[in-house]
Amino acid sequence: MNTQELAAIAQALISRSKGILAADESNSTLKKRFDTIKVESTEENRRAYRELLFTATGVDEYVSGVILYDETLRQKTREGIPFPVYLAKRNMVPGIKVDMGTKSLPEFPGDTITEGLDGLRERLAEYYRLGARFAKWRAVLNIAEGGPSAYAVDANAAALARYASLCQEAGIVPIVEPEILMDGDHTFQSCEQVTDRVLESVFTHLFAARIHLEGMILKPNMVIAGKKSPVQPSPDEVAAATIRCLRRHVPSAVPGIAFLSGGQSPSEATLHLNLMNATKNLPWTLTFSYGRALQEDVLMSWSGKPERVEAAQKALFKRAKLNGLAATGLYKSSMENTPF
Ligand code: 13P
């Protein structure tokens, strides 16, 4: 394992004022997003949409890396440049989602396990050849129905550690993503308890698998209440509880933590990140690895119309810039209404 190379990639991904654009929606997830703007999910429309994202002026100031889906890693710009080559030229590290999605866990209603370990060593070798230098694997934990079970937490953490060790062997930085869903009416306190349990298990398994901590990135959820919970925490409470959980479980050797947005609105996800970055003396860099919170406004603005590409790219630039500012604690809510 080339630990220096892994650490250098991880450092590039968490450079100051920059974060990660998660554009790795599977074809079925992207179809759902396209349905909301009445765009057909053809291979060419998916390519055109990703080209819109990757070629937006100025985004490279705030985006250090882009997570791609298998199909996208193999697609090209209109000029025929493979997307990973194009991104690397703009100094945005190409990444790849390598998990194969979730399946239900027999005997554990509501719990899932993420699949994709079989053949992963060979797939990673190919992804490296195609230009990917970091990867993502998402474990999904569900608080609804009294979950997640201890078994689901342990099985998902074990899979994350197996995935991370195969990535590091291949020279690819693993993004370790245990996501506790915000679906349901659970309290803010129960999200904190479950986040504690999950992070404890994840790092126990990462240690056991001898993961080189300096060459990985953690992608956790923030501590928030269920979407349907009648009591919602203040943004300051979210920031404080999330930092509390991370301090308890994430070793300072991990260079960076890049949050998922998980269904928060774009401005909420930016505000929470900014408040966390106002905390003094954190051992890690805190940044974003947002999918929906970066793309929501872009999709609405684009709506599949070629004449709307420029406006949609401006919407991406705006959200990337606001999150870049939040990654250094310099965002203000009033900026949401300033023209860019
Ligand atoms: P969201 O920010 O939409 O949660 O997506 C991030 C991601 O990569 C989910 O796996």
Side-chain angles (χ1 to χ4, degrees):
M1 184 198 303
N2 187 337
T3 53
Q4 278 183 353
E5 206 169 291
L6 290 170
I9 299 165
Q11 287 298 334
L13 288 169
I14 54 151
S15 312
R16 198 177 151 74
S17 316
K18 289 188 181 181
I20 297 167
L21 166 63
D24 60 324
E25 297 83 3
S26 64
N27 288 353
S28 60
T29 301
L30 195 58
K31 180 178 181 318
K32 281 188 218 151
R33 307 264 190 274
F34 277 8
D35 284 349
T36 65
I37 54 166
K38 300 196 170 55
V39 170
E40 199 190 341
S41 182
T42 60
E43 185 178 347
E44 173 48 27
N45 283 346
R46 293 191 292 271
R47 193 207 62 77
Y49 175 61
R50 262 67 183 251
E51 175 160 346
L52 176 164
L53 297 176
F54 307 158
T55 61
T57 305
V59 289
D60 46 335
E61 281 177 62
Y62 303 104
V63 172
S64 56
V66 182
I67 318 175
L68 306 169
Y69 181 58
D70 183 281
E71 176 185 272
T72 325
L73 189 74
R74 301 166 198 281
Q75 287 176 324
K76 298 178 175 160
T77 64
R78 224 168 327 157
E79 282 78 38
I81 306 170
F83 280 143
V85 174
Y86 177 84
L87 289 168
K89 269 202 192 128
R90 289 191 73 190
N91 224 9
M92 296 188 276
V93 184
I96 178 76
K97 182 230 292 291
V98 302
D99 68 68
M100 308 282 265
T102 58
K103 292 275 164 64
S104 60
L105 260 184
E107 300 299 327
F108 292 89
D111 282 339
T112 60
I113 182 75
T114 301
E115 296 194 332
L117 288 171
D118 287 351
L120 182 56
R121 176 175 272 143
E122 292 72 23
R123 283 197 291 131
L124 285 167
E126 188 195 6
Y127 290 147
Y128 188 93
R129 281 197 300 279
L130 290 170
R133 290 295 178 270
F134 74 103
K136 176 191 116 170
W137 178 288
R138 174 172 173 258
V140 180
L141 289 312
N142 200 353
I143 300 186
E145 299 180 53
S149 64
Y151 179 71
V153 171
D154 188 63
N156 277 290
L160 277 168
R162 285 269 291 118
Y163 140 81
S165 74
L166 286 165
C167 284
Q168 292 196 330
E169 178 192 64
I172 288 180
V173 166
I175 290 196
V176 172
E177 181 180 2
E179 174 174 4
I180 297 158
L181 297 179
M182 62 189 286
D183 297 349
D185 61 0
H186 56 269
T187 62
F188 169 61
Q189 288 78 7
S190 71
C191 181
E192 180 168 356
Q193 282 161 11
V194 174
T195 304
D196 264 332
R197 280 169 53 205
V198 168
L199 290 178
E200 180 181 345
S201 180
V202 165
F203 279 94
T204 300
H205 281 277
L206 292 174
F207 279 126
R210 300 182 179 166
I211 297 307
H212 181 65
L213 296 175
E214 291 82 352
M216 65 160 275
I217 286 173
L218 180 71
K219 176 163 172 167
N221 53 280
M222 297 179 198
V223 174
I224 46 184
K227 249 185 286 190
K228 294 196 190 130
S229 169
V231 185
Q232 292 291 329
S234 69
D236 284 310
E237 286 172 317
V238 169
T242 307
I243 295 288
R244 219 167 27 236
C245 274
L246 296 172
R247 279 200 199 276
R248 287 191 198 117
H249 302 289
V250 185
S252 54
V254 172
I257 296 172
F259 292 97
L260 59 94
S261 60
Q264 299 177 58
S265 72
S267 59
E268 273 170 353
T270 308
L271 177 60
H272 289 151
L273 177 63
N274 190 66
L275 289 171
M276 285 188 270
N277 272 310
T279 316
K280 296 273 178 293
N281 298 324
L282 294 173
W284 344 262
T285 299
L286 302 184
T287 189
F288 58 93
S289 175
Y290 295 160
R292 282 164 286 180
L294 278 172
Q295 294 183 55
E296 205 174 288
D297 301 345
V298 185
L299 276 166
M300 294 302 285
S301 187
W302 176 52
S303 300
K305 300 188 176 81
E307 69 275 17
R308 297 286 306 164
V309 165
E310 207 183 312
Q313 290 182 319
K314 285 196 175 136
L316 177 64
F317 175 75
K318 175 174 178 176
R319 283 263 55 94
K321 178 166 182 174
L322 293 178
N323 283 302
L325 290 169
T328 41
L330 295 173
Y331 163 82
K332 292 191 177 55
S333 296
S334 58
M335 293 172 176
E336 294 289 342
N337 305 317
T338 18
F340 275 73

